[in-house]
């Protein structure tokens, strides 16, 4: 990843933030990084609604829950239509898995990693973007959307086989979602000028996301988790570093910027800036969603 020297922001300690009145939606906030971010935001006074399948924070002040199976496009559409987007200041997409050793398919016929980690985000974002923040008091920052993935790593995916129908490898399948999420930020920054969009690359953070990749409770998973513990940050450490970024005024004019796990701005993947390639990838994504949820 290469540093983007045109985007800088002044760091502040998270303990100094007063986020009272901030309204946040965390899509996938029931575990891992999403849960840590939800806790940190709520602890500083924000009102957070998390969307996911298994809620672990009943009784935690400042956190509400909406149950949703985001492997299904029909469910993503339902959630987005019911979301009070007009009152939101901040939306953070963290929901995601990693493709398994064998191809898994949702009941709507979509490769599971593609459905959870990218297409559900596309569906929700396209539905809520025009409504985001429009019912808030005037004078606030533009509503912000942060999309977590692995931007800036050079991954471009394969637009002619997004669903892994022709061939399947877990790496290629997951890289399709990586490219899709980076494109989602770049495209949305142009498509919705009333909202600011940013990409997040957390790098290696100690969560359970790799369990689907290597197999839950497998020997390989245990070996990989042991080996990576020395180079990974905890979700709580990541939340401490990144929460001030969510509200800093210094990035207001930089819609489309990407940030690494320390909050430093990074450059996007060059090929994804190619309009014809980006358009083909997004058309293929839209076609796949339409196939899953026919009118």
């Amino acid at each position: 990843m290469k540093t983007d020297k045109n985007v800088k922001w002044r760091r502040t300690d998270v303990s100094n933030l007063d986020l009272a009145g901030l309204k946040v939606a965390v899509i996938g906030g029931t575990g891992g990084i999403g849960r840590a971010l939800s806790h940190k935001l709520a602890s500083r006074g924000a009102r957070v609604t998390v969307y996911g399948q298994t809620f672990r924070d009943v009784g935690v002040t400042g956190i509400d829950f909406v149950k949703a199976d985001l492997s299904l496009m029909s469910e993503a559409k339902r959630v987005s239509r019911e979301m009070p987007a007009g009152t939101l200041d901040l939306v953070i997409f963290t929901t995601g898995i990693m493709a398994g050793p064998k191809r898994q398919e949702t009941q709507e016929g979509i490769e599971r990693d593609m459905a959870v980690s990218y297409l559900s985000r596309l569906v929700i974002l396209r539905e809520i973007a025009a409504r985001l923040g429009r019912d808030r008091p005037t004078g606030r920052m533009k509503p912000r959307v942060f999309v977590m993935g692995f931007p800036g790593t050079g991954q471009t995916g394969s637009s002619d086989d997004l669903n892994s129908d022709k061939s399947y490898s877990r790496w290629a399948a997951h890289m399709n979602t990586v490219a899709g999420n980076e494109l989602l930020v770049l495209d949305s920054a142009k498509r919705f000028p009333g909202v600011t969009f940013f990409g997040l690359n957390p790098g290696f953070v100690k969560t359970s996301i790799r369990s689907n990749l290597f197999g839950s409770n497998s020997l390989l998973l245990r070996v990989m988790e042991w080996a990576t513990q020395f180079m990974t940050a905890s979700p709580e450490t990541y939340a401490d570093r990144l929460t001030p970024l969510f509200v800093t005024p210094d990035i207001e004019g930089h819609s489309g910027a990407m940030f690494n796990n320390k909050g430093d701005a990074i450059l996007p993947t060059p090929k994804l800036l190619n309009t014809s390639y980006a358009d083909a990838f997004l058309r293929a994504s839209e076609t796949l969603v339409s196939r899953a949820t026919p009118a």
Side-chain angles (χ1 to χ4, degrees):
M1 293 181 289
K2 296 182 179 180
T3 302
D4 184 350
K5 297 180 180 179
N6 293 317
V7 183
K8 298 183 182 298
W9 61 286
R10 290 161 290 183
R11 314 297 174 110
T12 185
D13 192 280
V14 68
S15 64
N16 294 328
L17 293 179
D18 179 1
L19 303 182
L22 193 76
K23 293 187 178 180
V24 185
V26 181
I27 316 301
T30 60
I33 294 174
R35 188 182 183 200
L37 291 173
S38 298
H39 277 221
K40 186 59 60 177
L41 288 160
S43 74
R44 306 313 307 159
R47 193 74 198 184
V48 182
T49 301
V50 300
Y51 294 78
Q53 291 216 64
T54 305
F55 190 47
R56 301 175 177 88
D57 294 317
V58 175
V60 176
T61 301
I63 299 181
D64 300 311
F65 174 60
V66 174
K67 186 175 179 62
D69 179 0
L70 295 175
S71 69
L72 300 177
M73 300 304 100
S74 55
E75 187 77 340
K77 287 186 176 183
R78 177 191 68 82
V79 164
S80 60
R81 289 167 181 163
E82 296 176 359
M83 189 179 296
T87 64
L88 292 175
D89 299 290
L90 183 63
V91 179
I92 307 171
F93 288 91
T94 67
T95 182
I97 59 172
M98 295 189 77
K102 295 183 179 180
R103 186 179 184 277
Q104 300 170 312
E105 188 172 279
T106 71
Q107 66 187 55
E108 293 175 335
I110 301 180
E111 190 275 315
R112 186 164 174 259
D113 188 14
M114 171 59 53
V116 175
S117 305
Y118 166 51
L119 289 183
S120 65
R121 301 173 176 199
L122 173 67
V123 168
I124 293 173
L125 188 50
R126 288 286 179 82
E127 173 64 30
I128 68 172
R131 296 186 283 123
L132 271 178
R134 70 182 183 187
D135 299 326
R136 303 175 306 158
T138 58
R140 294 196 181 190
M141 68 181 186
K142 289 182 181 180
R144 294 180 175 180
V145 174
F146 288 83
V147 178
M148 187 166 290
F150 293 92
T153 54
Q155 301 301 326
T156 59
S158 176
S159 61
D160 64 348
D161 194 21
L162 286 186
N163 204 36
S164 302
D165 292 314
K166 299 176 182 178
S167 63
Y168 179 79
S169 79
R170 53 190 168 187
W171 180 255
H174 191 62
M175 291 309 103
N176 279 337
T177 75
V178 169
N181 281 302
E182 186 168 355
L183 274 174
L184 192 55
V185 174
L186 296 171
D187 175 72
S188 297
K190 294 183 291 186
R191 190 184 294 261
F192 303 106
V195 181
T196 48
F197 298 86
F198 305 100
L200 298 176
N201 186 331
F204 284 106
V205 176
K206 190 172 180 57
T207 71
S208 62
I209 192 172
R210 288 176 288 277
S211 62
N212 197 56
L213 176 65
F214 297 115
S216 180
N217 297 318
S218 69
L219 175 61
L220 180 57
L221 175 65
R222 293 197 295 273
V223 170
M224 289 299 297
E225 292 301 300
W226 177 85
T228 59
Q229 68 178 311
F230 304 107
M231 63 182 88
T232 58
S234 70
E236 291 73 24
T237 297
Y238 180 78
D240 284 343
R241 291 174 182 168
L242 270 293
T243 298
L245 175 68
F246 297 150
V247 294
T248 178
D250 298 338
I251 62 173
E252 183 72 7
H254 296 285
S255 190
M258 316 283 177
F259 297 90
N260 66 15
N261 60 356
K262 294 182 179 179
D264 299 322
I266 55 176
L267 292 172
T269 298
K271 187 174 179 179
L272 299 184
L273 297 173
N274 181 295
T275 301
S276 60
Y277 184 83
D279 289 347
F281 196 105
L282 291 166
R283 282 196 302 271
S285 304
E286 294 157 359
T287 297
L288 192 51
V289 170
S290 297
R291 193 176 87 184
T293 55

